[in-house]
Amino acid sequence: MLTLLSVLHRMKLLTPVGVFRLLFVICGYGINLMGLLKLAASSHRHLVALSDDRETLTYQQLLDQSECLAVQLREQYGLGSRSKAGLLCRNHASLVKSIFALSMTGADIYLMNAEMSSDEFAQLLDAHAFDFLIYDEEFTAVIEQSSYTGASVLSYHEHFPAISNLMHVPIKGRSRGHRNSDSKLMLLTGGTTGRAKKVAHKPSMFHYLPPFSSMLKRLRLLRYKTVYIATPIYHGYGIAILLLFVALGKKSVITDKFQAEHACQLVREHQAEVITVVPLMIDKMLRASNAEGDLKSLACIASGGAELNPRLAEEVSARLGEVLYNLYGTSEAGLSIIATPQDLDAASGTIGKLIEGVGLKVLDGSMNEAAAGEIGQFCVTSGPTWIKTGDMGYRDERGFFYLKGRVDDMIVSAGENVYPSELEHILLQHPFIEDAAVVGVPDELFGQRLKAVVQVKVGTELDAETLIEWLRPRAARYQMPREIVFVDELDYTPLGKVDRKQLH
């Protein structure tokens, strides 16, 4: 069984030399993400650590540039313990270097959604009072139109101060080293209210190793060399995979924005064995490429962040083999549930089984554990209390978990609790339907009923009356939609989830 000791052994930390390196790093750097990078560089100095659209860096180069950057951030901008640094960036090397450098200064690192609106950014400023901002040039208008008056620096620029040129400023004397263990990683994620909530993670190498051991075992990541991180690093899913592959001395490939054709090219060019995606991404890649050729190197497609359509899982299996894994996690608890390809074959629609050591239960309205098959809310432990995730679902007798949507997705129709995802799953079984989404709408007689938004496959025809007749023997009375709307294409958020606000 893969354990924490196995991970430490894989990182070469259980040998006398490894123990010495670990103690040296802790004494010189403290317990922070830069220490994690230093450990990786000590064993994998000349191996490629990171490749993006602009540059390719070995572990030693990434370490040296991140250390130089940490000194400049500390000396030029006064960053240190209790400083708050906000990062509004897409996936690129400057973002990665900034994360490591800020960790070394002791500043708290706030990863912001690069797709946020000006109003959402203003809310974050009011809530967190940043001392420093690092941002991509495309977000200049968002920054300038806000009330922010503190120090800031661009991620890339040829002439203005930017992360890309700060790291090349010479370091005076022996100012490089600065031990610090105060930094925290803040994931800013939308809660059930729609407002961003802050979830703090202590970026310690010891904090991340235990959950990584379960991920390594289920996804068999130790055997692979290269990961393409297609999901945003500002999302907990993306940063977790990045840190995992750094800890193992592997190669990570990133790109500013996801485009299906370019993503297929990157997989082929780097012969990536692992890719992190949301379901919409892999769906687009299958349609944009000769998947059997472009994607043949993939041995692990790690899908998360949104619900996985069982039909998509079947298509991936048919075209690429048993390579698809379904992951479920929360910002509060991190990765909690994994479905292997074998799990997806055995239980269609499952998000998998709990990983070892995760305190997650399905609780009913009275906060008691729900029986097998009974729908409740996913809750995670935080000391003696339970934190509600906002996700509804159930666990079957075999230990497989299933999602039924968010708490605020559920409607009450004529006294029945109705979950839109149940009707979505039925609709997606229709041979002419490419995609479908369902939301609740007001109804004078029933209080609420369902509205279905349907995308029909190219070359087929379907009307509402025909679809209603097809649904009658397959859906319960309270699941039948009050209206059906046909669209050319469904709207999705940048994170690959159906944009339900647009549906309403």
Side-chain angles (χ1 to χ4, degrees):
M1 178 179 294
L2 192 63
T3 64
L4 177 57
L5 289 178
S6 303
V7 180
L8 294 174
H9 176 72
R10 181 64 181 81
M11 294 177 65
K12 301 179 181 178
L13 295 181
L14 296 184
T15 65
V17 173
V19 172
F20 173 79
R21 285 174 175 167
L22 179 59
L23 293 175
F24 175 80
V25 166
I26 293 174
C27 290
Y29 291 78
I31 300 175
N32 56 48
L33 292 180
M34 189 73 88
L36 184 70
L37 178 58
K38 174 64 177 178
L39 276 176
S42 67
S43 299
H44 311 285
R45 186 180 309 274
H46 301 300
L47 295 182
V48 173
L50 187 70
S51 180
D52 74 350
D53 298 323
R54 301 168 181 84
E55 59 186 325
T56 295
L57 299 165
T58 66
Y59 273 91
Q60 189 62 51
Q61 290 170 328
L62 181 57
L63 175 66
D64 289 344
Q65 293 183 25
S66 298
E67 283 187 325
C68 291
L69 179 59
V71 172
Q72 300 304 328
L73 293 178
R74 189 168 61 244
E75 294 184 351
Q76 290 195 38
Y77 297 96
L79 294 180
S81 300
R82 294 183 294 278
S83 296
K84 297 181 179 180
L87 279 68
L88 187 56
C89 302
R90 300 196 183 275
N91 286 11
H92 48 61
S94 279
L95 170 62
V96 176
K97 296 170 191 176
S98 298
I99 291 170
F100 286 118
L102 288 167
S103 175
M104 189 172 176
T105 69
D108 290 340
I109 306 163
Y110 291 74
L111 298 179
M112 292 184 281
N113 189 326
E115 304 294 341
M116 70 172 60
S117 66
S118 296
D119 288 344
E120 289 169 329
F121 180 68
Q123 292 174 9
L124 291 181
L125 289 182
D126 292 340
H128 304 299
F130 300 126
D131 302 301
F132 186 68
L133 290 178
I134 298 172
Y135 63 98
D136 292 347
E137 189 172 11
E138 66 176 288
F139 305 121
T140 299
V142 174
I143 307 298
E144 292 180 346
Q145 293 169 10
S146 73
S147 61
Y148 182 72
T149 58
S152 62
V153 67
L154 289 161
S155 56
Y156 290 95
H157 204 278
E158 292 185 6
H159 309 294
F160 297 152
I163 297 300
S164 57
N165 50 49
L166 271 178
M167 67 190 71
H168 300 301
V169 177
I171 299 177
K172 299 178 182 179
R174 296 182 59 83
S175 60
R176 182 185 296 256
H178 189 80
R179 188 174 186 273
N180 204 302
S181 300
D182 295 333
S183 178
K184 293 186 291 295
L185 192 63
M186 305 293 192
L187 303 178
L188 298 176
T189 176
T192 54
T193 63
R195 296 179 66 91
K197 57 183 178 179
K198 176 182 70 177
V199 181
H201 292 272
K202 185 70 173 176
S204 155
M205 64 191 78
F206 301 109
H207 173 84
Y208 285 106
L209 284 174
F212 283 171
S213 63
S214 292
M215 196 170 193
L216 291 173
K217 176 185 175 183
R218 296 275 187 95
L219 275 62
R220 300 183 291 182
L221 296 179
L222 288 176
R223 64 180 66 185
Y224 308 128
K225 296 180 180 180
T226 303
V227 60
Y228 167 33
I229 304 175
T231 48
I233 290 175
Y234 61 73
H235 194 266
Y237 181 26
I239 186 66
I241 293 293
L242 173 67
L243 295 177
L244 171 59
F245 270 68
V246 166
L248 295 174
K250 308 287 189 177
K251 175 183 174 181
S252 297
V253 178
I254 56 177
T255 186
D256 285 22
K257 293 183 179 180
F258 174 84
Q259 294 178 327
E261 294 84 357
H262 184 47
C264 294
Q265 177 186 339
L266 288 174
V267 170
R268 184 177 63 252
E269 176 185 337
H270 294 275
Q271 286 298 288
E273 300 114 319
V274 182
I275 185 173
T276 66
V277 295
V278 296
L280 183 62
M281 288 177 173
I282 194 62
D283 183 62
K284 288 184 175 181
M285 290 175 72
L286 287 175
R287 299 189 185 337
S289 72
N290 170 21
E292 291 79 357
D294 291 344
L295 308 181
K296 65 181 180 181
S297 64
L298 292 176
C300 174
I301 299 174
S303 174
E307 192 169 353
L308 176 64
N309 180 344
R311 191 165 65 191
L312 176 59
E314 293 173 2
E315 182 177 357
V316 171
S317 179
R319 296 182 64 178
L320 302 178
E322 293 191 336
V323 298
L324 182 63
Y325 295 77
N326 196 14
L327 282 63
Y328 170 84
T330 63
S331 298
E332 297 86 354
L335 181 66
S336 301
I337 301 171
I338 297 175
T340 66
Q342 294 72 32
D343 292 336
L344 294 173
D345 286 341
S348 177
T350 185
I351 56 174
K353 294 184 177 181
L354 279 180
I355 64 175
E356 293 180 31
V358 171
L360 182 147
K361 291 184 178 181
V362 181
L363 303 182
D364 62 21
S366 301
M367 297 301 284
N368 296 316
E369 187 169 5
E374 180 184 351
I375 296 175
Q377 185 168 178
F378 289 2
C379 299
V380 296
T381 54
S382 177
T385 61
W386 291 95
I387 298 176
K388 298 178 179 179
T389 67
D391 289 324
M392 302 293 289
Y394 67 94
R395 173 186 55 83
D396 69 15
E397 294 179 349
R398 297 175 294 174
F400 289 114
F401 284 77
Y402 302 81
L403 276 177
K404 304 300 286 186
R406 299 286 295 173
V407 169
D408 43 2
D409 289 341
M410 187 194 80
I411 69 169
V412 178
S413 182
E416 295 278 0
N417 291 341
V418 182
Y419 299 92
S421 64
E422 293 179 330
L423 179 57
E424 289 174 356
H425 289 165
I426 297 172
L427 289 168
L428 289 172
Q429 295 172 21
H430 193 288
F432 290 178
I433 292 180
E434 179 70 37
D435 205 354
V438 179
V439 293
V441 292
D443 185 271
E444 292 184 3
L445 182 60
F446 294 91
Q448 288 179 296
R449 286 188 66 188
L450 297 178
K451 168 187 174 181
V453 182
V454 174
Q455 176 185 337
V456 177
K457 289 183 178 180
V458 176
T460 64
E461 294 184 2
L462 189 64
D463 57 50
E465 183 178 350
T466 302
L467 183 54
I468 287 291
E469 289 304 313
W470 181 87
L471 281 172
R472 291 192 191 282
R474 296 171 174 85
R477 176 191 54 79
Y478 54 81
Q479 293 174 326
M480 295 296 289
R482 189 187 74 173
E483 63 177 306
I484 298 175
V485 177
F486 292 91
V487 297
D488 293 333
E489 191 172 4
L490 287 177
D491 290 318
Y492 280 82
T493 70
L495 284 180
K497 297 182 179 181
V498 172
D499 192 338
R500 297 189 181 277
K501 291 182 181 179
Q502 293 294 328
L503 294 182
H504 283 288

